[in-house]
Amino acid sequence: MNLDKIASEALRLNPRERAVLAEAIWESLEDPYFIPKEMSEKEALALAKQREKEIVEGEAVPLSHKELMDRLRK
């Protein structure tokens, strides 16, 4: 079954079932930017500065929400 068929079928579910499915799919994804819940403010600031540096230096390219969703749907 391809992605279009799966999406079409999923959209036929009632709202609660779609929410449960969406949550299950979301939880199955690994977070490449996992941040421990116990991160200190100092650690969080250092991480934000590091990510900003990666963007400024061209090592990372920021995406808009729309761009991200378009890529994920391909």
Side-chain angles (χ1 to χ4, degrees):
M1 193 179 292
N2 66 31
L3 182 58
D4 290 335
K5 180 68 174 166
I6 293 169
S8 174
E9 293 297 318
L11 290 172
R12 292 181 183 187
L13 298 171
N14 68 49
R16 183 184 182 291
E17 291 171 327
R18 288 194 316 267
V20 169
L21 176 60
E23 181 179 17
I25 291 170
W26 181 258
E27 292 296 323
S28 74
L29 300 175
E30 287 188 34
D31 184 356
Y33 297 109
F34 174 73
I35 300 173
K37 291 181 182 181
E38 298 298 321
M39 181 178 277
S40 71
E41 185 175 333
K42 182 177 179 179
E43 291 169 320
L45 184 57
L47 178 60
K49 287 180 178 181
Q50 175 62 35
R51 291 190 179 157
E52 178 184 32
K53 179 181 176 227
E54 291 170 358
I55 291 170
V56 169
E57 293 179 355
E59 296 174 21
V61 178
L63 299 175
S64 70
H65 176 57
K66 181 181 181 329
E67 290 170 319
L68 174 62
M69 297 309 293
D70 288 346
R71 287 186 184 191
L72 291 173
R73 288 184 180 116
K74 289 184 180 179

Coordinates of all heavy atoms in Angstrom, one line a residue:
M1 N 0.9 -1.2 0.0 CA 0.0 0.0 0.0 C 0.9 1.2 0.0 O 1.8 1.3 0.8 CB -0.9 0.0 1.3 CG -2.0 1.0 1.2 SD -3.1 1.0 2.6 CE -3.9 -0.6 2.5
N2 N 0.6 2.2 -0.9 CA 1.5 3.4 -0.9 C 1.0 4.5 0.0 O -0.1 4.3 0.6 CB 1.6 3.9 -2.4 CG 0.3 4.5 -2.9 OD1 -0.6 4.9 -2.1 ND2 0.1 4.4 -4.2
L3 N 1.7 5.5 0.2 CA 1.4 6.6 1.1 C 0.1 7.2 0.8 O -0.7 7.5 1.8 CB 2.5 7.6 1.2 CG 2.4 8.7 2.2 CD1 2.3 8.2 3.6 CD2 3.6 9.7 2.1
D4 N -0.2 7.5 -0.4 CA -1.5 8.1 -0.8 C -2.7 7.3 -0.3 O -3.7 7.8 0.2 CB -1.5 8.4 -2.3 CG -0.6 9.5 -2.7 OD1 -0.3 10.4 -1.9 OD2 -0.2 9.5 -3.9
K5 N -2.5 6.0 -0.6 CA -3.6 5.1 -0.2 C -3.8 5.0 1.3 O -4.9 5.0 1.9 CB -3.3 3.7 -0.7 CG -4.4 2.6 -0.4 CD -5.7 2.9 -1.1 CE -6.7 1.8 -0.9 NZ -8.0 2.1 -1.2
I6 N -2.7 5.0 2.0 CA -2.7 4.9 3.5 C -3.3 6.2 4.0 O -4.2 6.1 4.9 CB -1.3 4.7 4.1 CG1 -0.8 3.3 3.8 CG2 -1.3 4.9 5.6 CD1 0.7 3.1 4.1
A7 N -2.9 7.3 3.5 CA -3.5 8.6 3.9 C -5.0 8.7 3.7 O -5.8 9.1 4.5 CB -2.8 9.8 3.3
S8 N -5.4 8.2 2.5 CA -6.8 8.2 2.1 C -7.6 7.4 3.1 O -8.7 7.8 3.6 CB -7.0 7.7 0.7 OG -8.3 7.6 0.4
E9 N -7.1 6.2 3.4 CA -7.8 5.4 4.4 C -7.8 5.9 5.8 O -8.8 5.9 6.5 CB -7.2 4.0 4.4 CG -7.3 3.2 3.1 CD -8.8 2.9 2.8 OE1 -9.6 2.5 3.7 OE2 -9.2 3.0 1.6
A10 N -6.7 6.5 6.2 CA -6.6 7.1 7.5 C -7.6 8.2 7.7 O -8.2 8.4 8.8 CB -5.2 7.6 7.8
L11 N -7.8 9.0 6.6 CA -8.7 10.1 6.7 C -10.2 9.7 6.8 O -11.0 10.5 7.2 CB -8.5 11.1 5.5 CG -7.2 11.8 5.6 CD1 -6.9 12.6 4.3 CD2 -7.1 12.8 6.8
R12 N -10.4 8.5 6.6 CA -11.8 7.9 6.8 C -12.1 7.6 8.2 O -13.2 7.3 8.6 CB -12.0 6.7 5.9 CG -12.0 7.0 4.4 CD -12.2 5.8 3.6 NE -12.1 6.1 2.2 CZ -12.4 5.2 1.2 NH1 -12.7 4.0 1.5 NH2 -12.3 5.6 0.0
L13 N -11.1 7.5 9.0 CA -11.3 7.2 10.5 C -12.0 8.4 11.1 O -11.9 9.5 10.7 CB -9.9 6.9 11.1 CG -9.1 5.8 10.6 CD1 -7.7 5.8 11.2 CD2 -9.8 4.5 10.9
N14 N -12.6 8.1 12.3 CA -13.2 9.2 13.0 C -12.1 10.0 13.7 O -10.9 9.5 13.8 CB -14.3 8.7 14.0 CG -13.6 7.9 15.1 OD1 -12.7 8.3 15.8 ND2 -14.2 6.7 15.4
P15 N -12.4 11.2 14.1 CA -11.3 12.1 14.7 C -10.5 11.4 15.8 O -9.3 11.6 15.9 CB -12.1 13.3 15.2 CG -13.3 13.3 14.3 CD -13.7 11.9 14.0
R16 N -11.2 10.7 16.7 CA -10.5 10.1 17.8 C -9.5 9.0 17.3 O -8.3 9.0 17.7 CB -11.4 9.4 18.8 CG -10.7 8.8 20.0 CD -11.6 8.1 21.0 NE -10.9 7.6 22.1 CZ -10.0 6.6 22.1 NH1 -9.7 6.0 21.0 NH2 -9.4 6.2 23.2
E17 N -9.9 8.2 16.4 CA -9.0 7.2 15.8 C -7.9 7.8 15.1 O -6.7 7.3 15.1 CB -9.8 6.3 14.9 CG -10.8 5.4 15.6 CD -11.8 4.6 14.7 OE1 -12.1 5.2 13.6 OE2 -12.2 3.5 15.0
R18 N -8.1 8.9 14.3 CA -7.0 9.6 13.6 C -6.0 10.2 14.6 O -4.8 10.1 14.4 CB -7.6 10.7 12.7 CG -8.3 10.2 11.5 CD -8.6 11.2 10.5 NE -9.0 12.5 10.9 CZ -10.3 12.9 11.0 NH1 -11.3 12.0 10.6 NH2 -10.7 14.1 11.4
A19 N -6.5 10.7 15.7 CA -5.6 11.2 16.8 C -4.8 10.1 17.4 O -3.6 10.3 17.6 CB -6.4 12.0 17.8
V20 N -5.4 9.0 17.7 CA -4.6 7.9 18.2 C -3.6 7.4 17.2 O -2.4 7.2 17.6 CB -5.6 6.7 18.6 CG1 -4.8 5.5 18.9 CG2 -6.4 7.1 19.8
L21 N -3.9 7.3 15.9 CA -3.0 6.9 14.9 C -1.9 7.9 14.7 O -0.7 7.6 14.7 CB -3.7 6.7 13.5 CG -2.8 6.4 12.3 CD1 -2.1 5.1 12.6 CD2 -3.7 6.4 11.1
A22 N -2.2 9.2 14.7 CA -1.2 10.3 14.6 C -0.2 10.2 15.8 O 1.0 10.3 15.6 CB -1.9 11.6 14.5
E23 N -0.7 10.0 17.0 CA 0.1 9.9 18.1 C 1.1 8.7 18.0 O 2.3 8.8 18.3 CB -0.7 9.9 19.4 CG 0.2 9.8 20.6 CD -0.6 9.8 21.9 OE1 -1.8 9.4 21.9 OE2 0.0 10.0 23.0
A24 N 0.5 7.6 17.6 CA 1.4 6.4 17.5 C 2.5 6.6 16.5 O 3.6 6.2 16.7 CB 0.5 5.2 17.1
I25 N 2.1 7.2 15.3 CA 3.1 7.5 14.3 C 4.2 8.4 14.8 O 5.4 8.2 14.7 CB 2.5 8.0 13.0 CG1 1.7 6.8 12.4 CG2 3.5 8.5 12.0 CD1 0.8 7.3 11.2
W26 N 3.7 9.5 15.5 CA 4.6 10.5 16.0 C 5.6 9.9 17.0 O 6.8 10.2 17.0 CB 3.8 11.7 16.6 CG 4.7 12.8 17.2 CD1 5.0 13.0 18.4 CD2 5.4 13.8 16.4 NE1 5.9 14.1 18.5 CE2 6.1 14.6 17.3 CE3 5.4 14.1 15.0 CZ2 6.9 15.7 16.9 CZ3 6.2 15.1 14.6 CH2 6.9 15.9 15.5
E27 N 5.1 9.1 17.9 CA 5.9 8.5 18.9 C 6.9 7.5 18.4 O 7.9 7.2 19.0 CB 5.0 7.8 20.0 CG 4.2 8.8 20.8 CD 5.0 9.7 21.7 OE1 6.1 9.3 22.2 OE2 4.6 10.9 21.8
S28 N 6.6 7.0 17.1 CA 7.6 6.0 16.6 C 8.8 6.7 15.9 O 9.8 6.0 15.6 CB 6.8 5.2 15.5 OG 6.6 6.0 14.3
L29 N 8.7 8.0 15.7 CA 9.9 8.7 15.1 C 10.9 9.0 16.1 O 10.7 9.4 17.3 CB 9.4 10.0 14.5 CG 8.3 9.9 13.4 CD1 7.8 11.3 13.0 CD2 8.9 9.2 12.2
E30 N 12.2 8.9 15.7 CA 13.3 9.3 16.5 C 13.5 10.7 16.4 O 13.5 11.3 15.3 CB 14.6 8.5 16.1 CG 14.5 7.0 16.5 CD 15.9 6.4 16.3 OE1 16.9 7.0 16.4 OE2 15.9 5.2 15.9
D31 N 13.8 11.4 17.5 CA 14.1 12.9 17.4 C 15.6 13.1 17.2 O 16.4 12.8 18.1 CB 13.6 13.5 18.7 CG 13.7 15.0 18.7 OD1 14.3 15.6 17.7 OD2 13.3 15.6 19.7
P32 N 16.0 13.6 16.0 CA 17.4 13.9 15.8 C 17.9 15.0 16.7 O 19.1 15.1 16.9 CB 17.4 14.3 14.4 CG 16.1 14.9 14.1 CD 15.1 14.1 14.9
Y33 N 17.0 15.8 17.3 CA 17.5 16.8 18.2 C 16.9 16.6 19.6 O 16.5 17.5 20.3 CB 17.0 18.2 17.7 CG 17.5 18.5 16.4 CD1 16.8 18.5 15.2 CD2 18.9 18.9 16.3 CE1 17.3 18.9 14.0 CE2 19.4 19.2 15.0 CZ 18.7 19.2 13.9 OH 19.2 19.5 12.7
F34 N 17.0 15.3 20.1 CA 16.5 15.0 21.4 C 17.1 15.8 22.5 O 18.3 16.0 22.5 CB 16.8 13.5 21.7 CG 16.4 13.1 23.1 CD1 15.1 12.9 23.4 CD2 17.4 12.9 24.0 CE1 14.7 12.6 24.7 CE2 17.0 12.6 25.3 CZ 15.7 12.4 25.7
I35 N 16.3 16.4 23.3 CA 16.8 17.2 24.4 C 16.3 16.6 25.7 O 15.1 16.4 25.9 CB 16.3 18.7 24.3 CG1 16.7 19.3 23.0 CG2 16.7 19.5 25.5 CD1 16.1 20.6 22.7
P36 N 17.2 16.2 26.6 CA 16.7 15.6 27.8 C 15.8 16.6 28.6 O 16.1 17.8 28.6 CB 18.0 15.4 28.6 CG 19.1 15.5 27.6 CD 18.6 16.3 26.5
K37 N 14.8 16.1 29.3 CA 13.9 16.9 30.0 C 14.6 17.7 31.1 O 14.2 18.7 31.6 CB 12.7 16.1 30.5 CG 11.8 15.6 29.5 CD 10.7 14.8 30.0 CE 9.9 14.3 28.8 NZ 8.7 13.6 29.3
E38 N 15.7 17.1 31.6 CA 16.4 17.7 32.7 C 17.5 18.7 32.3 O 18.5 18.8 33.0 CB 17.0 16.6 33.6 CG 15.9 15.7 34.2 CD 14.9 16.5 35.1 OE1 15.4 17.4 35.9 OE2 13.7 16.2 35.1
M39 N 17.5 19.2 31.1 CA 18.5 20.1 30.6 C 18.4 21.4 31.4 O 17.4 22.0 31.6 CB 18.3 20.4 29.1 CG 19.3 21.3 28.5 SD 19.1 21.5 26.7 CE 19.9 20.1 26.1
S40 N 19.6 21.9 31.8 CA 19.7 23.1 32.5 C 19.5 24.3 31.6 O 19.6 24.2 30.3 CB 21.0 23.3 33.3 OG 22.0 23.5 32.3
E41 N 19.2 25.5 32.1 CA 19.1 26.7 31.3 C 20.4 26.9 30.5 O 20.4 27.3 29.4 CB 18.7 27.9 32.1 CG 18.4 29.1 31.3 CD 17.9 30.3 32.2 OE1 17.3 30.0 33.2 OE2 18.1 31.4 31.8
K42 N 21.5 26.7 31.2 CA 22.8 27.0 30.6 C 23.0 26.0 29.4 O 23.5 26.4 28.4 CB 23.9 26.8 31.7 CG 25.3 27.1 31.2 CD 26.3 26.9 32.3 CE 27.7 27.1 31.8 NZ 28.7 27.0 32.9
E43 N 22.7 24.7 29.6 CA 22.8 23.8 28.6 C 21.9 24.1 27.4 O 22.3 23.9 26.2 CB 22.5 22.3 29.1 CG 23.6 21.8 30.1 CD 23.1 20.6 30.8 OE1 21.9 20.5 31.1 OE2 23.9 19.7 30.9
A44 N 20.7 24.5 27.7 CA 19.7 24.8 26.6 C 20.2 26.0 25.8 O 20.1 26.1 24.6 CB 18.4 25.1 27.2
L45 N 20.8 27.0 26.5 CA 21.3 28.2 25.8 C 22.5 27.8 24.9 O 22.6 28.3 23.8 CB 21.7 29.3 26.8 CG 22.2 30.6 26.3 CD1 21.2 31.2 25.3 CD2 22.5 31.5 27.4
A46 N 23.4 26.9 25.4 CA 24.5 26.5 24.6 C 24.1 25.7 23.4 O 24.6 25.9 22.3 CB 25.4 25.6 25.5
L47 N 23.0 24.9 23.5 CA 22.5 24.2 22.4 C 21.9 25.1 21.4 O 22.1 25.0 20.2 CB 21.4 23.2 22.9 CG 20.8 22.3 21.8 CD1 21.8 21.5 21.0 CD2 19.7 21.4 22.4
A48 N 21.1 26.1 21.8 CA 20.5 27.1 20.9 C 21.6 27.9 20.2 O 21.5 28.1 18.9 CB 19.7 28.1 21.7
K49 N 22.7 28.2 20.9 CA 23.8 29.0 20.2 C 24.5 28.1 19.2 O 24.9 28.5 18.1 CB 24.8 29.5 21.3 CG 24.2 30.6 22.0 CD 25.3 31.1 23.1 CE 24.7 32.3 23.8 NZ 25.7 32.8 24.8
Q50 N 24.7 26.8 19.5 CA 25.3 25.9 18.6 C 24.5 25.7 17.3 O 25.0 25.7 16.2 CB 25.5 24.5 19.3 CG 26.1 23.4 18.3 CD 27.5 23.8 17.8 OE1 28.3 24.4 18.4 NE2 27.7 23.4 16.5
R51 N 23.2 25.6 17.5 CA 22.3 25.4 16.3 C 22.3 26.7 15.5 O 22.3 26.6 14.2 CB 20.9 25.0 16.7 CG 20.9 23.6 17.3 CD 19.5 23.1 17.5 NE 19.6 21.7 18.0 CZ 18.6 21.2 18.7 NH1 17.5 21.8 18.9 NH2 18.8 19.9 19.1
E52 N 22.3 27.9 16.1 CA 22.4 29.1 15.4 C 23.7 29.2 14.6 O 23.7 29.6 13.4 CB 22.2 30.3 16.3 CG 22.3 31.6 15.6 CD 22.3 32.8 16.5 OE1 22.8 32.7 17.7 OE2 21.8 33.9 16.1
K53 N 24.8 28.8 15.2 CA 26.1 28.8 14.6 C 26.0 27.9 13.3 O 26.6 28.3 12.3 CB 27.1 28.3 15.5 CG 28.5 28.3 15.0 CD 29.5 27.8 16.0 CE 30.9 27.7 15.3 NZ 31.5 26.4 15.6
E54 N 25.4 26.7 13.4 CA 25.3 25.8 12.3 C 24.6 26.4 11.1 O 24.9 26.3 10.0 CB 24.7 24.5 12.7 CG 25.5 23.7 13.7 CD 24.8 22.5 14.3 OE1 23.6 22.4 14.0 OE2 25.4 21.8 15.1
I55 N 23.5 27.2 11.5 CA 22.8 27.9 10.4 C 23.6 29.0 9.8 O 23.7 29.1 8.6 CB 21.4 28.4 11.0 CG1 20.5 27.2 11.3 CG2 20.7 29.3 10.0 CD1 19.3 27.6 12.1
V56 N 24.2 29.8 10.6 CA 25.0 31.0 10.1 C 26.1 30.5 9.3 O 26.4 31.1 8.2 CB 25.5 31.8 11.3 CG1 26.5 32.8 10.8 CG2 24.3 32.5 12.0
E57 N 26.8 29.4 9.6 CA 27.9 28.9 8.9 C 27.5 28.0 7.7 O 28.4 27.5 7.0 CB 28.9 28.2 9.8 CG 29.5 29.1 10.9 CD 30.4 28.3 11.8 OE1 30.5 27.1 11.8 OE2 31.1 29.0 12.6
G58 N 26.3 27.8 7.5 CA 25.8 27.1 6.4 C 25.8 25.6 6.6 O 25.7 24.8 5.6
E59 N 26.1 25.1 7.8 CA 26.1 23.7 8.0 C 24.7 23.1 8.1 O 24.5 21.9 7.9 CB 26.9 23.4 9.4 CG 28.3 23.8 9.3 CD 29.0 23.7 10.7 OE1 28.5 22.9 11.5 OE2 30.0 24.3 10.9
A60 N 23.8 23.9 8.4 CA 22.4 23.5 8.6 C 21.5 24.6 7.9 O 21.9 25.8 7.9 CB 22.0 23.4 10.0
V61 N 20.4 24.1 7.3 CA 19.5 25.1 6.6 C 18.2 25.0 7.3 O 17.6 23.9 7.4 CB 19.4 24.7 5.1 CG1 18.4 25.6 4.5 CG2 20.7 24.7 4.4
P62 N 17.7 26.1 7.8 CA 16.4 26.1 8.5 C 15.3 25.9 7.5 O 15.4 26.4 6.3 CB 16.3 27.5 9.2 CG 17.2 28.4 8.3 CD 18.3 27.5 7.8
L63 N 14.3 25.3 7.9 CA 13.1 25.0 7.1 C 11.9 25.7 7.7 O 11.7 25.6 8.9 CB 12.8 23.5 6.9 CG 13.9 22.7 6.3 CD1 13.5 21.2 6.3 CD2 14.1 23.1 4.9
S64 N 11.0 26.2 6.8 CA 9.7 26.6 7.4 C 8.9 25.4 7.6 O 9.2 24.3 7.2 CB 9.0 27.5 6.3 OG 8.6 26.7 5.2
H65 N 7.8 25.6 8.4 CA 6.9 24.4 8.7 C 6.4 23.8 7.4 O 6.4 22.6 7.2 CB 5.8 24.9 9.6 CG 4.8 23.8 9.9 ND1 5.1 22.6 10.4 CD2 3.5 23.8 9.6 CE1 4.0 21.9 10.5 NE2 3.0 22.5 10.1
K66 N 6.0 24.7 6.5 CA 5.5 24.2 5.2 C 6.5 23.4 4.4 O 6.2 22.3 3.9 CB 5.0 25.4 4.3 CG 4.4 24.9 3.0 CD 4.0 26.1 2.1 CE 3.4 25.7 0.8 NZ 3.8 24.5 0.2
E67 N 7.8 23.9 4.4 CA 8.8 23.1 3.7 C 9.0 21.8 4.3 O 9.2 20.8 3.6 CB 10.1 23.9 3.7 CG 10.1 25.2 2.9 CD 11.4 26.0 3.1 OE1 11.8 26.2 4.3 OE2 11.9 26.5 2.1
L68 N 9.1 21.7 5.6 CA 9.2 20.5 6.3 C 8.1 19.5 6.0 O 8.4 18.3 5.7 CB 9.3 20.7 7.8 CG 9.3 19.4 8.7 CD1 10.6 18.6 8.4 CD2 9.3 19.8 10.2
M69 N 6.9 20.0 6.1 CA 5.7 19.1 5.8 C 5.8 18.6 4.3 O 5.5 17.4 4.1 CB 4.4 19.8 6.1 CG 4.3 20.1 7.6 SD 4.6 18.7 8.7 CE 3.2 17.7 8.3
D70 N 6.1 19.5 3.4 CA 6.2 19.1 2.0 C 7.2 18.0 1.8 O 7.0 17.0 1.1 CB 6.6 20.3 1.1 CG 5.4 21.3 1.0 OD1 4.3 20.9 1.3 OD2 5.7 22.4 0.5
R71 N 8.4 18.1 2.5 CA 9.4 17.1 2.4 C 9.0 15.8 3.0 O 9.3 14.7 2.5 CB 10.7 17.6 3.0 CG 11.4 18.6 2.3 CD 12.8 18.9 2.9 NE 13.4 20.0 2.2 CZ 14.7 20.3 2.4 NH1 15.4 19.7 3.3 NH2 15.2 21.3 1.8
L72 N 8.3 15.8 4.1 CA 7.9 14.6 4.8 C 6.8 13.9 4.0 O 6.7 12.7 4.0 CB 7.3 15.0 6.2 CG 8.4 15.4 7.2 CD1 7.7 15.9 8.5 CD2 9.4 14.3 7.5
R73 N 6.0 14.6 3.2 CA 5.0 14.0 2.4 C 5.5 13.3 1.1 O 4.8 12.6 0.5 CB 3.9 15.0 2.1 CG 3.1 15.4 3.3 CD 2.0 16.4 2.9 NE 1.2 16.7 4.1 CZ 1.2 18.0 4.6 NH1 1.8 18.9 4.0 NH2 0.5 18.2 5.7
K74 N 6.7 13.6 0.7 CA 7.3 13.0 -0.5 C 7.7 11.6 -0.3 O 8.1 11.2 0.7 CB 8.5 13.9 -1.0 CG 8.0 15.2 -1.6 CD 9.2 15.9 -2.1 CE 8.8 17.3 -2.7 NZ 9.8 18.0 -3.2

